[in-house]
Amino acid sequence: MKKTTAKQSTLKMTFSFLLFSSTFGFTVVGNTQAQATETPTAVVQNVKTSTPKAHATFTTSVKSINQVVQADDYATAITQEVNWINTQVAAEKLTGWDALALVRSSTGITDAQKTQIQTNIETNYADPSTQHQPTDYARDVIGLICVGADPTNVNGQNLVQEAVTNGIAADADVYAVTYGLIAATAAQSSNLGNVQTADLQIMVTNLLGMQNSETGYWTDQYGYTLDTTGMALQA
């Protein structure tokens, strides 16, 4: 299993928080915009603006986040992180998350980067016996769609089906559901993988069931709330 540094993890989570909404809420899933808009709106209405009770040290409310994070903050963060990808990440290390970040940035993604990212992803599935995490499938579906490749046949493996299967599983965690839902919605809108709306609804229902009824937030098994809630709202 490849190791990811703390800085890489932080940067990639920053990308996903900043970029998922504009990418999959309005661009990739343009023909299902009503569905993509209605679900997060319903979820947002459940998010309280008071200080969450679940974590005594977490004192930032959703309302104050909206006040603090302005358009210039997003633009600056995206510019800095895209520059980091282009200058610090070796070509053979580029992933589906990097594809998403580059595609949605003002810098854009080069043809060479598209080819390299597709190659990197396909290499990960060269051995069909290799076990992957649910979020790996979802990430790579997203990445392949971003570079214009087909995620339904990667060395004979249908990554879309894998993402859906893991996303609707009874024991799926918040990340498998969240990223599975985003990946599956993107695939369905791109007419890839024959994704069933019923499966999307299962993931939506399960994701809503994971929401804390008192605070309105989502928290993963490690206690992280802000990133997890951001991803759930984007889904």
Side-chain angles (χ1 to χ4, degrees):
M1 179 177 293
K2 295 181 179 179
K3 294 184 178 179
T4 303
T5 66
K7 182 174 183 180
Q8 288 174 323
S9 297
T10 301
L11 291 170
K12 292 182 189 300
M13 287 304 295
T14 299
F15 282 133
S16 52
F17 187 87
L18 296 176
L19 301 173
F20 265 125
S21 180
S22 58
T23 300
F24 294 110
F26 302 99
T27 302
V28 176
V29 292
N31 64 349
T32 57
Q33 185 171 346
Q35 179 182 347
T37 301
E38 289 167 6
T39 299
T41 300
V43 176
V44 170
Q45 290 173 346
N46 291 331
V47 178
K48 298 180 179 180
T49 57
S50 59
T51 302
K53 300 176 183 178
H55 299 278
T57 58
F58 183 67
T59 58
T60 303
S61 68
V62 171
K63 180 182 291 185
S64 64
I65 291 173
N66 289 337
Q67 293 172 342
V68 171
V69 181
Q70 304 297 325
D72 287 346
D73 298 319
Y74 284 110
T76 299
I78 291 171
T79 298
Q80 290 176 342
E81 312 311 350
V82 167
N83 180 66
W84 182 80
I85 288 176
N86 285 325
T87 60
Q88 302 298 319
V89 181
E92 66 273 12
K93 299 294 184 181
L94 291 171
T95 72
W97 297 139
D98 298 317
L100 172 61
L102 292 168
V103 164
R104 292 306 303 163
S105 73
S106 59
T107 303
I109 186 170
T110 67
D111 289 340
Q113 286 172 323
K114 289 180 180 180
T115 300
Q116 184 66 59
I117 290 171
Q118 181 177 352
T119 297
N120 292 348
I121 292 174
E122 290 175 348
T123 299
N124 289 337
Y125 299 92
D127 183 355
S129 66
T130 300
Q131 297 296 312
H132 298 280
Q133 296 296 319
T135 49
D136 293 339
Y137 294 115
R139 174 200 63 209
D140 293 334
V141 167
I142 292 166
L144 289 171
I145 291 175
C146 284
V147 302
D150 183 2
T152 66
N153 185 8
V154 180
N155 292 324
Q157 298 181 67
N158 187 337
L159 305 192
V160 175
Q161 186 57 57
E162 294 288 354
V164 171
T165 298
N166 284 287
I168 65 175
D171 61 347
D173 64 14
V174 65
Y175 292 115
V177 176
T178 298
Y179 292 123
L181 180 56
I182 294 172
T185 303
Q188 185 190 62
S189 68
S190 302
N191 296 316
L192 295 168
N194 192 30
V195 176
Q196 301 299 305
T197 301
D199 287 334
L200 297 180
Q201 188 56 54
I202 290 172
M203 285 185 272
V204 169
T205 300
N206 290 345
L207 185 59
L208 290 173
M210 295 174 177
Q211 187 181 24
N212 187 303
S213 60
E214 291 188 6
T215 66
Y217 292 108
W218 283 261
T219 302
D220 67 12
Q221 63 267 41
Y222 306 106
Y224 293 106
T225 295
L226 183 58
D227 286 335
T228 309
T229 298
M231 295 303 95
L233 294 179
Q234 303 311 332

